[in-house]
Amino acid sequence: MLTNRPKTKILVDGGDPAETLRIKSLLGFVDGQTTNPSLIAKNPEIQQLIASGHTLSAEEEKNEYKKIVQSISPHVGEAGVSIEVFADLNTTAEEMLAQGQEMFSWIPNAYVKYPCTYEGLRAAQTSVQKNIRVNVTLCFSQEQAAAVYAATKGSKQPVYVSPFVGRLDDHGEDGMDLVRNIKKMYERGDGHVYVLAASIRGFNHLLWSFALSAELATVPGKVLEEWAAKAFPMPDRNFSYRGVDASGKPLKAIPYKELDLNLPWQSFDIAHELTNKGIQKFVADYQSTLRRSA
Ligand code: E4P
């Protein structure tokens, strides 16, 4: 069990309540959980249904999602359970908000995940005005994180922004630099947005998230198991990290940008090809569980 708990809250990145319980007994606690349409599609019960030829209607899929988060919810701490709206590239803010409001009522500790797009940020902006906790996901740039900050200013609850480290690494850029840059940019802010390091692929990502003082990190069960197997190492003063690709070549550094957090959120250039690709992948995984006629 983990005795020296890091300041960074640890969330399980998954869609299987049994896994959350397994990790909880390994660590002694779980601060929270993040889910997304791909992780829900991988849930063992849903996979079993599909293997037996029972694809789901959209309503059944939603009910399965609800069941999954309801069984995870009581086992996690104050970082809550993030539930993602089903959105494609044409989904409007109003459509996302309608889903978000419903999902927020499923459990007492919900965070609603919206994609970091123009429509997603409009939905996040209205959500915080309605006291719905939000997690803005698929964040790949500092501009996007600045827009999240500006769009949710005034929120009474912490807002999460999720930079996707591993997917930037896969793209040849050092994803942890984005976490560092956002943390640095937010030093000049009011503290209402918490950085949730996401798309973590190995325990070095995790240790560097601790060293950068990310408020939260969401971590796949197998990475937490690897960390536990190594007796929970923590970064010391000399710990340093540089992302490398599969051949050991250093990944491209992401430079820090001076951005003014007081500008209107619409003034930031939030377009990012990986955000769009991420949405398309979520749609494909979600649809893989659905009946064709649904
Ligand atoms: C975050 O909320 C996402 O669920 C997750 O971290 C995505 O990670 P992946 O890039 O490994 O799919």
Side-chain angles (χ1 to χ4, degrees):
M1 253 191 223
L2 180 59
T3 44
N4 188 12
R5 227 164 133 162
K7 283 211 178 105
T8 301
K9 301 259 180 259
I10 297 181
L11 290 74
V12 176
D13 197 21
D16 177 9
E19 177 190 54
T20 306
L21 285 176
R22 205 171 61 241
I23 298 299
K24 190 175 179 178
S25 64
L26 196 62
L27 269 60
F29 70 94
V30 160
D31 290 308
Q33 174 99 18
T34 55
T35 64
N36 67 40
S38 306
L39 295 168
I40 294 302
K42 280 192 211 140
N43 169 278
E45 275 183 39
I46 293 188
Q47 281 297 313
Q48 219 173 358
L49 285 172
I50 293 166
S52 66
H54 183 98
T55 44
L56 307 168
S57 67
E59 192 61 23
E60 285 172 326
E61 161 87 23
K62 191 172 75 182
N63 288 335
E64 287 297 322
Y65 198 174
K66 184 175 174 179
K67 223 168 68 187
I68 293 166
V69 297
Q70 284 180 336
S71 56
I72 293 171
S73 163
H75 302 293
V76 305
E78 64 186 60
V81 181
S82 290
I83 313 171
E84 186 152 348
V85 299
F86 299 111
D88 63 21
L89 295 172
N90 300 316
T91 308
T92 64
E94 289 69 26
E95 289 164 337
M96 290 188 213
L97 184 63
Q99 292 184 57
Q101 279 178 300
E102 185 184 344
M103 288 166 159
F104 193 66
S105 73
W106 288 352
I107 49 174
N109 51 354
Y111 276 75
V112 177
K113 276 171 106 175
Y114 295 113
C116 199
T117 58
Y118 183 81
E119 293 301 309
L121 284 178
R122 278 214 302 127
Q125 183 175 39
T126 311
S127 294
V128 299
Q129 288 160 3
K130 293 177 182 292
N131 289 328
I132 292 173
R133 288 178 293 269
V134 303
N135 173 354
V136 183
T137 189
L138 291 167
C139 172
F140 292 97
S141 74
Q142 203 189 316
E143 285 87 343
Q144 288 180 322
V148 171
Y149 177 94
T152 59
K153 212 165 172 190
S155 175
K156 292 192 194 73
Q157 323 245 24
V159 165
Y160 298 167
V161 64
S162 296
F164 271 39
V165 173
R167 293 194 198 184
L168 277 166
D169 285 7
D170 295 344
H171 196 240
E173 293 179 88
D174 197 340
M176 286 307 301
D177 283 351
L178 178 61
V179 174
R180 185 203 55 206
N181 294 345
I182 298 172
K183 281 290 299 175
K184 182 171 172 193
M185 173 173 71
Y186 284 173
E187 276 168 17
R188 282 179 286 111
D190 59 15
H192 81 276
V193 186
Y194 289 3
V195 177
L196 197 179
S199 185
I200 298 280
R201 298 285 159 75
F203 86 94
N204 269 339
H205 280 160
L206 181 63
L207 298 197
W208 198 226
S209 303
F210 295 161
L212 293 174
S213 304
E215 283 82 3
L216 316 116
T218 187
V219 193
K222 67 171 173 28
V223 175
L224 291 170
E225 280 161 354
E226 189 193 339
W227 186 46
K230 291 186 158 57
F232 304 112
M234 295 294 285
D236 60 20
R237 276 170 188 279
N238 303 319
F239 182 84
S240 75
Y241 169 88
R242 187 75 257 159
V244 290
D245 68 14
S247 65
K249 206 173 116 218
L251 293 166
K252 196 168 154 234
I254 304 176
Y256 179 73
K257 293 182 184 158
E258 285 301 338
L259 298 175
D260 182 356
L261 291 172
N262 294 313
L263 291 174
W265 70 266
Q266 295 89 342
S267 67
F268 295 104
D269 178 9
I270 59 165
H272 201 289
E273 57 161 321
L274 293 181
T275 302
N276 290 353
K277 272 194 187 161
I279 291 173
Q280 285 161 338
K281 170 90 170 76
F282 286 152
V283 170
D285 289 340
Y286 167 61
Q287 282 174 346
S288 72
T289 67
L290 294 186
R291 259 198 288 287
R292 282 191 187 285
S293 58

